[in-house]
Amino acid sequence: MNRSLFLRIQSAIEAHDPYFVQKRDAAGHLEKYMRPPNKNDTDRLLKDNESRGFPGMLGSIDCMHWNWKNCPVPWKGMYVGHVREPTIILEAIASHDLWIWHAFFGLPGSHNDINVLNRSFVFSELAEGRSPPANYSINGHHYSMGYYLADGIYPSWSTFVKTIPSPQKS
């Protein structure tokens, strides 16, 4: 997408809903979104999540389908998946306070979370053993790589902690 088109879309969205206008925080600094966490961010994420009972968690990951109403006819076959309509899939990682620090739109033919994951630059780093440093212990086991909460479709990688499908009451 060229810059002028992006800026026109951004302007139209901001005019439609002020929620999307960049705001200043309590200290008067512009809030920053859509960037990888730096060391201070990672430390904050780990500290916040540990205080909430999730030591080592960097965020939650999931994908969502966005209907592409005006998808060009020649492209529809590449963007139609299980929902039978053309969609673009967005993979996002967010913290509990809704700081979205990673977003990746799937490419043609990426009709599910796994296909998007296989093309996502964040997880290509993980597949090569590189991730933000995170040192924590759970039940006497020490870990040096953070994890993401994910649903059941994600692979059994040590960096994904899946939800409990049938939680038991104690």
Side-chain angles (χ1 to χ4, degrees):
M1 173 182 311
N2 69 38
R3 183 172 174 78
S4 64
L5 176 59
F6 175 82
L7 293 174
R8 276 198 344 248
I9 293 169
Q10 176 188 8
S11 179
I13 290 171
E14 289 174 345
H16 175 73
D17 190 340
Y19 175 82
F20 294 100
V21 176
Q22 188 177 28
K23 298 168 186 71
R24 295 193 178 272
D25 64 14
H29 300 132
L30 287 175
E31 295 183 63
K32 297 177 182 172
Y33 298 94
M34 301 308 301
R35 61 173 175 75
N38 59 32
K39 176 155 178 25
N40 290 337
D41 296 327
T42 301
D43 291 345
R44 181 185 54 81
L45 288 169
L46 293 169
K47 181 181 175 188
D48 288 351
N49 290 326
E50 184 168 9
S51 73
R52 298 173 59 244
F54 296 95
M57 187 177 86
L58 293 167
S60 298
I61 181 172
D62 204 1
C63 289
M64 61 190 272
H65 289 263
W66 282 6
N67 286 335
W68 191 357
K69 186 177 96 178
N70 296 322
C71 177
V73 173
W75 295 2
K76 283 189 178 182
M78 295 183 294
Y79 288 93
V80 172
H82 72 282
V83 295
R84 310 254 189 264
E85 295 292 327
T87 61
I88 296 176
I89 300 178
L90 168 64
E91 173 189 80
I93 300 174
S95 61
H96 77 282
D97 58 358
L98 299 181
W99 174 41
I100 299 172
W101 59 263
H102 167 73
F104 176 73
F105 284 95
L107 304 170
S110 55
H111 303 304
N112 64 39
D113 298 22
I114 296 302
N115 292 334
V116 174
L117 177 69
N118 287 334
R119 296 177 173 130
S120 170
F121 68 90
V122 167
F123 293 101
S124 63
E125 294 286 309
L126 285 173
E128 294 174 11
R130 293 189 303 269
S131 72
N135 295 300
Y136 59 98
S137 294
I138 298 177
N139 295 332
H141 291 68
H142 183 73
Y143 300 92
S144 60
M145 184 183 293
Y147 65 88
Y148 304 88
L149 291 183
D151 60 24
I153 195 169
Y154 285 87
S156 296
W157 293 356
S158 61
T159 196
F160 294 127
V161 172
K162 300 177 185 183
T163 56
I164 301 169
S166 300
Q168 304 294 314
K169 290 184 178 179
S170 52

